[in-house]
C-alpha cells in the first residue's frame, strides 16, 4: 500500500509542470548553511599533525585513513609531545560537531537532487537523493569508530575498530563522488554553460578514487573533488531561487532556457 502510494505520488509529480521553486529555496538554504558551517569546522579540527604525510593535507583526513598505531602517532604525536593533548581535544571536538555537518550536507545534496528531478523529470535523479543520505550514515558510523580509536589511543591501547574504519570511509567518499556525477550529468541537460560546469563537476569526481587507493599521496584531493559538484549545485540553487523569488518567475531553469532560445 505504501509502495503503491509512493508510485502514485511520483507519477503525479512527473506530470506537473516543472516549477521547483520551493526545492531550490531549500537547496540554497542548506547550501549556505553547509558553506558557513564547513568553514567553521575547518577551524575546529587540528590544523597540523605531528608528522603526517603532506599528501593528506588536513590531519582529519590522515585520521580517517589511519591504518595502525604509527599513523596515530604521526597525527597526534607521542605522549611526550606537549601538543598531543591539544590535537586530541581538537579532533574530538571536530568529530562531535561533524554530526551537524552530516545533516546539513545530506539535506543540501538531497534537496538538490529532488530539485533537479523537478526540473528534468528523470527518475534516476529522484533515486539519487538517497546517495548523500547513505553517505551521511556511513560518515556517522565512521565517526563512531574514530571516537573508539581515539579513546584507545589516549589510554595507550589499540582499538579493534581500526580494522573496520576503511569501509565506511571509502563508502562515504564514493557515494559523495557518485552524487557529484549525478549533479554534473543533470547540469549538462540545462544549457551550454551549465553543460560546461557539469562536465567539470564530473571530471572533478575522478580524483576520489585515486585518493582512496593512495591517500598518503592524494588525500588532499578529496575536498576539492567534492567541492566541484557542490559548487555547481549551489550555483543552480542560486539561479533557480533568483528566478522564482526576485524575478517572480516560478518556471524551471530548464524551461526558461528553452523559452529564451
Amino acid at each position: 500500500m505504501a509502495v503503491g502510494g509512493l508510485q502514485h505520488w511520483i507519477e503525479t509529480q512527473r506530470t506537473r509542470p516543472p516549477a521547483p521553486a520551493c526545492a531550490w529555496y531549500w537547496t540554497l538554504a542548506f547550501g549556505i548553511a553547509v558553506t558557513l558551517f564547513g568553514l567553521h569546522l575547518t577551524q575546529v579540527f587540528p590544523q597540523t599533525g605531528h608528522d603526517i604525510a603532506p599528501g593528506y593535507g588536513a590531519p582529519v583526513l590522515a585520521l580517517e585513513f589511519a591504518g595502525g598505531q604509527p599513523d596515530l602517532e604521526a597525527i597526534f604525536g607521542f605522549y611526550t609531545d606537549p601538543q598531543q593533548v591539544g590535537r586530541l581535544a581538537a579532533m574530538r571536538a571536530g568529530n562531535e560537531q561533524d554530526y551537524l555537518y552530516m545533516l546539513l550536507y545530506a539535506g543540501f545534496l538531497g534537496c538538490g537532487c529532488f530539485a533537479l528531478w523537478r526540473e528534468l523529470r528523470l527518475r534516476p535523479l529522484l533515486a539519487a537523493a538517497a546517495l548523500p543520505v547513505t553517505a551521511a550514515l556511513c560518515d556517522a558510523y565512521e565517526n563512531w569508530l574514530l571516537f573508539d580509536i581515539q579513546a584507545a589511543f589516549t589510554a595507550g591501547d589499540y582499538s579493534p575498530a581500526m580494522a573496520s574504519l576503511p569501509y565506511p570511509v571509502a563508502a562515504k567518499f564514493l557515494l559523495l563522488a557518485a552524487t557529484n556525477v549525478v549533479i554534473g550529468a543533470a547540469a549538462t541537460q540545462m544549457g551550454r554553460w551549465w553543460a560546461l560546469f557539469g562536465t567539470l563537476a564530473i571530471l572533478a569526481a575522478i580524483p576520489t578514487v585515486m585518493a582512496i587507493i593512495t591517500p598518503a599521496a592524494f588525500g588532499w584531493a578529496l575536498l576539492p573533488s567534492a567541492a566541484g559538484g557542490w559548487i555547481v549545485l549551489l550555483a543552480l540553487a542560486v539561479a533557480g531561487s533568483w528566478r522564482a523569488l526576485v524575478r517572480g518567475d516560478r518556471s524551471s531553469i530548464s524551461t526558461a532556457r528553452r523559452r529564451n532560445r
Side-chain angles (χ1 to χ4, degrees):
M1 189 69 159
V3 174
L6 177 61
Q7 179 69 22
H8 175 73
W9 179 83
I10 292 175
E11 291 298 329
T12 302
Q13 292 291 318
R14 188 176 64 83
T15 58
R16 291 175 57 187
C22 186
W24 282 132
Y25 293 155
W26 278 104
T27 304
L28 180 59
F30 273 116
I32 293 172
V34 163
T35 302
L36 295 178
F37 192 75
L39 292 174
H40 159 74
L41 201 55
T42 58
Q43 302 303 311
V44 176
F45 281 110
Q47 303 302 300
T48 59
H50 173 69
D51 188 28
I52 62 173
Y56 283 117
V60 63
L61 289 175
L63 179 60
E64 291 181 4
F65 288 98
Q69 204 75 357
D71 294 328
L72 298 178
E73 292 171 349
I75 297 166
F76 299 114
F78 300 95
Y79 70 93
T80 55
D81 188 338
Q83 298 185 49
Q84 187 198 70
V85 174
R87 294 190 187 108
L88 286 166
M91 191 70 76
R92 182 171 185 85
N95 282 326
E96 287 172 347
Q97 296 184 37
D98 194 31
Y99 284 103
L100 176 56
Y101 189 64
M102 297 171 202
L103 295 175
L104 293 175
Y105 76 64
F108 171 53
L109 298 173
C111 288
C113 289
F114 179 77
L116 289 169
W117 172 66
R118 290 293 307 274
E119 287 274 359
L120 301 171
R121 303 302 189 183
L122 299 175
R123 285 190 179 182
L125 291 173
L126 183 60
L131 294 176
V133 176
T134 307
L137 293 175
C138 292
D139 204 351
Y141 177 51
E142 170 200 316
N143 267 20
W144 182 76
L145 295 176
L146 290 177
F147 286 134
D148 188 82
I149 292 168
Q150 187 172 328
F153 176 79
T154 304
D157 296 328
Y158 177 81
S159 171
M162 189 78 74
S164 303
L165 183 60
Y167 303 107
V169 171
K172 174 187 70 174
F173 286 118
L174 289 174
L175 287 166
L176 291 176
T179 305
N180 281 352
V181 170
V182 170
I183 293 169
T188 62
Q189 306 297 312
M190 294 187 174
R192 183 174 55 187
W193 287 109
W194 289 119
L196 172 62
F197 298 141
T199 301
L200 292 176
I202 294 172
L203 294 176
I206 295 175
T208 298
V209 178
M210 300 166 53
I212 291 174
I213 295 173
T214 54
F218 298 105
W220 63 270
L222 287 168
L223 297 182
S225 178
W230 295 23
I231 291 172
V232 171
L233 181 58
L234 186 59
L236 285 166
V238 170
S241 299
W242 173 272
R243 178 169 296 280
L245 181 63
V246 178
R247 297 179 57 181
D249 184 354
R250 297 184 64 83
S251 62
S252 69
I253 302 171
S254 53
T255 300
R257 174 182 60 81
R258 291 192 295 269
R259 188 171 58 227
N260 293 332
R261 278 180 172 177

